Structures are given as structure tokens and as C-alpha cells.
Amino acid sequence: MTDDALPQSDQIDGAPHPRETLALFGQSAAEQGFLDVFNAGRLHHGWLITGPRGIGKATLAWQIARFLIATPKAQDDGLFGARPAPTSLAIDPQHPVARRIQAGSEPGLVAVKRPYDEKTKKFKAQITVDEVRKLKNFFALSAADGGHRVVIVDSADEMNVSAANALLKLLEEPPADTTLLLISHQPSRLLPTIRSRCRELRLAPLSPDDMARALEQADPGEPASPALSELAGGSVGEAIRLAQSGGPEIYAQLVALFAGMPRPDRQLAMGLAESAAMPGQQDRLDHLLNLIDLFLLRLVRVGATGQLPQVEAAPNEGQVLANLSKSPAHARAWADVAQEISTRSRHGKSVNLDPAALVLDTVWKIQQTAQRF
């Protein structure tokens, strides 16, 4: 089986791979920031592309890779004098470099990511040092071709300690004409020495309009409903995951459940718990717990600011949030319980606690807090 036929850890199920996504929405500031540095002839060898998951970091990295490999340096002179400075990172999809990257055959580009284990049919939990060491062969082979070389690490957060140290050596002594693009959802988890040797490009969550356009590109069959966009928090990747897992429907059930606090609908609670405990439903449990975290976060914001969300993520959500979080004191209580529930959930999953019991314990903890008001 070829690498392209295997699942890819840097691709969301049901969405195009970032190398196939030619349009980037809502990140013009980051694009222009990179372009300005390039045109000034101050291209840094290491770039840290940061921001929440699913907002276009990988798409930007592949866009930069196409641009760097296909575009001569700003200070290079052509046959008839200096070339005009490029005004966009966009490369014609029919350009030979763009076509090779699309086909996965560009010799000047390599992606470092968690490998897929065909025996276990799972991705490895981390990027290991072996994946970084493979870059030695890449640099040796690509040197003969000349031109610019690009390494994309997606994501740098997933490197183990040995891999991070191996990559740090490359950042300290980078090969000539090489740019390393490190994608990071949580840059605070990286080694400080890695962060200090990279220039940062920070991306922002997408606006509702940019979300709609990006979601249409990623999944033309998925309408960008206001509720889905609100739950996704400006992340196209999260919107796709939520849509595929029935996230808006699950969240609506949670809102209906919490509407009865401090006396929740036991039948509805049992139904949610049992659905998460069905064989092969680990993903549903993860989505359910994440949506509970999101609901608690929205409770905190309402209590702290005194303002309801402009868009309801489920029917009657605004009224439920207003009833349960009426003051900053309520916000503090919900923030405390959210932290406790998050810790309990991580522990419960680590010791393989029965999913139904974990969900019911979470509902009970929320009920306890609601009874205090």
C-alpha cells in the first residue's frame, strides 16, 4: 500500500488534505506578514504557525511551501534585471511545482507527521525521532536538485522529547536554502529553545462569513448552519468533525438536559450515557465530553459578562444559560466545576472507566453545582 493510500494523521476524515486546499480564507494578515519578510530578503529558516485547531494553519503551510519552491528569491535577478516582488502567495494550480505537490511527488518538500501503523491500524501517539532522522536522507537527495527545500511538521506539538531535540539541532544549524514550517496548536508545550529559533505566524479564528466559505470549500455538501459555526468557534476543522459526529444534535440534547437543572431529565441523561457506552463509540464519548466542556465555558462567559451569545448553538440555549449563570459568582463556580470535570474525564478515560458511568458522574457533578444557586 502506498503512503497516499494510507490514512494521514494531518488530514481530517471527509475533508481534502491541506495540500489539496488551494484557497485560504480569513488569514490575509498572516499571509501578508510572510510575504513582506520574503520580499525584504529576510526569510527566516524556521517558522512557527500557531493558532487554534482547524483554522487554516496547515493550509497556509502548504501554500507557503508551494510559493517558496516555485518563486525565486526577491533579490535574485532575472535575465532582464530584478524580478518584480510577488504580491501574493498564490501559485497557479497548473504550475509544475503545484502539480507535483498535489501528486505528492515534489522532491523539494517533505512532511513530518505521526506515522500510521498498518499492524494496529492506528496512528502512533507521537512523532518519533525516527521520523525526524529521515530528514537526513531528504536533505542528501534534494541537494542535487538545487532550489529551495521545505519541511512541514504537522504538528510540532506531537513530537516526543527525542524528536523535538533532533529537530532543534536542525533549527540551530539549518541546511542551506531550507525553510522549516512548524504547525502548533499549543506552542506553550514546545521547547522554549524551539520557539526562540522560529519566527511566529499567528492565525486567528475565522469570522462567520469566512467559516461559511471555508466549509463550502472543504465539504461542499455540508451547509454552514449558524449553530454549527457557533459550536466550532471559528474552526473549519472542528465544524467538519462536529458535523460528521452529529455534534449539533448532541449539543441540543445537552441543552435540553441542563434546562431541567437542578432536576435533570434522568431518562435523557441515561440515553446520552448509554449512547456513549455503545461498542466502537469512543469518538462519541470524546465529542460528548468536549461539548459538555463547551457548554460550561459558555456558562462562564454569560455569568462573567452578563451577555448572552449572539447566536444560539441549540434551541432555547440562551434561556438555559441565563437561568444557570446569573452573576460573576456563578461564573466562578462554573469555571471551578469545568476544571474539575475536565480532570475527572481525563482520569476516567486513562483508567478505562465505564463510559456510561463517566457521563453520569459528569451530569451529577453539574447537578450538584446547580443546586447551590
Side-chain angles (χ1 to χ4, degrees), residues 312-326:
E312 286 192 334
N316 200 40
E317 184 199 25
Q319 186 62 54
V320 175
L321 294 174
N323 289 341
L324 290 176
S325 196
K326 299 176 181 179

Side-chain angles (χ1 to χ4, degrees), residues 172-324:
E172 291 173 336
E173 300 178 9
D177 294 320
T178 298
T179 299
L180 290 89
L181 304 173
L182 281 60
I183 297 167
S184 176
H185 317 302
Q186 296 178 295
S188 61
R189 297 178 60 180
L190 299 177
L191 293 174
T193 43
I194 287 181
R195 297 200 305 270
S196 67
R197 284 167 174 77
C198 293
R199 183 161 182 158
E200 185 175 9
L201 277 177
R202 182 161 184 80
L203 276 60
L206 302 183
S207 68
D209 288 345
D210 287 328
M211 270 282 294
R213 292 192 295 162
L215 191 57
E216 173 65 21
Q217 175 180 246
D219 187 358
E222 182 56 47
S225 69
L228 180 61
S229 297
E230 185 73 4
L231 287 175
S235 166
V236 175
E238 185 62 18
I240 293 172
R241 294 186 186 95
L242 286 168
Q244 292 175 345
S245 66
E249 293 78 12
I250 296 173
Y251 189 76
Q253 290 180 303
L254 287 172
V255 171
L257 173 65
F258 297 139
M261 289 294 178
R263 292 181 294 278
D265 184 327
R266 291 182 58 84
Q267 186 174 354
L268 183 53
M270 288 298 301
L272 284 167
E274 290 171 359
S275 68
M278 294 174 62
Q281 292 298 311
Q282 178 61 43
D283 286 346
R284 183 178 176 87
L285 173 64
D286 291 339
H287 285 302
L288 179 57
L289 294 174
N290 288 338
L291 288 171
I292 290 174
D293 285 344
L294 176 61
F295 179 81
L296 293 172
L297 175 61
R298 289 166 79 81
L299 278 175
V300 171
R301 288 176 179 168
V302 168
T305 65
Q307 297 180 352
L308 294 175
Q310 293 184 347
V311 177
E312 286 192 334
N316 200 40
E317 184 199 25
Q319 186 62 54
V320 175
L321 294 174
N323 289 341
L324 290 176

Side-chain angles (χ1 to χ4, degrees), residues 25-110:
F25 300 103
Q27 306 298 350
S28 57
E31 294 180 75
Q32 190 61 49
F34 182 88
L35 195 60
D36 289 345
V37 171
F38 177 87
N39 286 333
R42 301 195 304 269
L43 183 64
H44 202 280
H45 63 273
W47 290 81
L48 190 60
I49 304 176
T50 66
R53 287 182 182 273
I55 60 172
K57 297 191 299 298
T59 298
L60 177 60
W62 286 88
Q63 186 181 66
I64 289 173
R66 278 191 295 269
F67 174 83
L68 289 176
I69 297 171
T71 307
K73 292 180 182 177
Q75 63 268 34
D76 288 349
D77 289 342
L79 182 62
F80 301 103
R83 297 179 175 89
T87 59
S88 169
L89 295 179
I91 299 297
D92 186 335
Q94 297 308 312
H95 190 288
V97 169
R99 295 179 68 175
R100 289 196 298 269
I101 288 178
Q102 179 85 353
S105 59
E106 168 54 52
L109 172 64
V110 67

Side-chain angles (χ1 to χ4, degrees), residues 137-150:
N137 290 334
F138 164 69
F139 292 130
L141 293 173
S142 60
D145 297 322
H148 206 92
R149 295 171 292 183
V150 179

